[in-house]
Amino acid sequence: DAGVIQSPRHEVTEMGQEVTLRCKPISGHDYLFWYRQTMMRGLELLIYFNNNVPIDDSGMPEDRFSAKMPNASFSTLKIQPSEPRDSAVYFCASSSGTSGSPQETQYFGPGTRLLVL
Amino acid sequence: KNQVEQSPQSLIILEGKNCTLQCNYTVSPFSNLRWYKQDTGRGPVSLTIMTFSENTKSNGRYTATLDADTKQSSLHITASQLSDSASYICVVSEWGGTSYGKLTFGQGTILTVHP
């Protein structure tokens, strides 16, 4: 398996523009997670899906952020309008079980490095 | 408020030496604790996952310990290699029953191994 695939790997945009980040989870995994990582705040969970359904979006910073998972093999994280403080590395991860299961491991993608000017 | 504190923030050691990273948490109710290794410019990779009943778990040269009573964990790296240079992140999960448990992340320890 190719692992979790994210695109683009790097994105530079201007404040106010719409940004769309994409993720393809590992085939067969039924959980998908979106994370954000910054030097100041470390790693933060934004939202997660189970069987394509958003379960917990309490980590989404504000209404400018939205995430969708139209099918089991694709998810998007959209920021509209983008702001400089959104600059961060955004990771997508997938797993085959809940965090409560000792067998469950989350597999992270390579991340998208976003810079909003 | 649930917190995960890691120490030290950064550590420099010589190749071949051992080191220990610490993680203290206040997450309750506790479900499990994970250690991740994150190389520069890459996503985190899971090293170990431990539940309440597990005291120690090994993954090659990495050995994690857990004391659920004192809410402390450590990650011991034996015979360090240059490739161990990375950020090590401790993540603690709340018990969520049949649902996904809320995660609390540590800020990470940056390990640098010099030849």
Side-chain angles (χ1 to χ4, degrees):
Chain A
D1 198 316
V4 176
I5 298 173
Q6 292 186 248
S7 65
R9 293 295 310 277
H10 302 272
E11 177 82 28
V12 180
T13 190
E14 292 187 341
M15 182 174 63
Q17 296 298 307
E18 177 179 293
V19 176
T20 299
L21 311 181
R22 297 172 176 79
C23 174
K24 176 179 168 53
I26 293 173
S27 177
H29 282 184
D30 50 4
Y31 281 83
L32 184 140
F33 308 83
W34 281 102
Y35 292 89
R36 178 173 68 177
Q37 187 175 40
T38 62
M39 288 293 292
M40 290 297 295
R41 299 174 67 91
L43 202 58
E44 304 172 281
L45 176 64
L46 300 178
I47 184 172
Y48 80 93
F49 295 82
N50 178 215
N51 292 323
N52 313 338
V53 177
I55 303 300
D56 184 356
D57 64 354
S58 59
M60 296 285 260
E62 50 197 272
D63 292 344
R64 298 184 296 106
F65 286 69
S66 62
K68 294 182 180 180
M69 192 165 185
N71 57 62
S73 60
F74 183 66
S75 177
T76 60
L77 178 68
K78 186 174 294 186
I79 308 173
Q80 166 63 18
S82 58
E83 296 182 3
R85 60 192 168 119
D86 301 331
S87 298
V89 181
Y90 291 82
F91 289 103
C92 176
S94 69
S95 72
S96 60
T98 69
S99 180
S101 166
Q103 282 74 42
E104 179 260 333
T105 295
Q106 290 189 26
Y107 296 87
F108 283 75
T112 294
R113 190 172 297 272
L114 173 66
L115 177 61
V116 183
L117 302 174
Chain B
K1 179 184 176 184
N2 288 337
Q3 287 187 310
V4 175
E5 301 285 342
Q6 292 188 242
S7 61
Q9 284 189 326
S10 61
L11 182 62
I12 300 174
I13 62 174
L14 293 177
E15 187 178 13
K17 297 297 185 182
N18 303 335
C19 68
T20 300
L21 313 180
Q22 299 290 342
C23 173
N24 296 338
Y25 63 93
T26 62
V27 175
S28 182
F30 174 84
S31 175
N32 59 68
L33 183 147
R34 304 140 184 271
W35 283 94
Y36 284 93
K37 178 189 179 190
Q38 185 175 21
D39 293 320
T40 301
R42 305 184 72 123
V45 174
S46 180
L47 293 175
T48 62
I49 304 173
M50 287 185 294
T51 60
F52 181 87
S53 60
E54 297 175 293
N55 299 118
T56 185
K57 183 163 283 189
S58 293
N59 179 357
R61 294 180 296 102
Y62 300 100
T63 299
T65 64
L66 173 66
D67 186 333
D69 291 331
T70 63
K71 298 187 177 181
Q72 295 180 323
S73 176
S74 65
L75 180 69
H76 186 73
I77 304 174
T78 304
S80 61
Q81 300 176 357
L82 298 179
S83 59
D84 292 331
S85 295
S87 177
Y88 291 84
I89 303 170
C90 176
V91 184
V92 182
S93 174
E94 256 182 68
W95 175 249
T98 56
S99 303
Y100 185 86
K102 182 177 173 61
L103 300 178
T104 304
F105 297 85
Q107 285 289 84
T109 292
I110 299 174
L111 174 65
T112 304
V113 181
H114 283 165

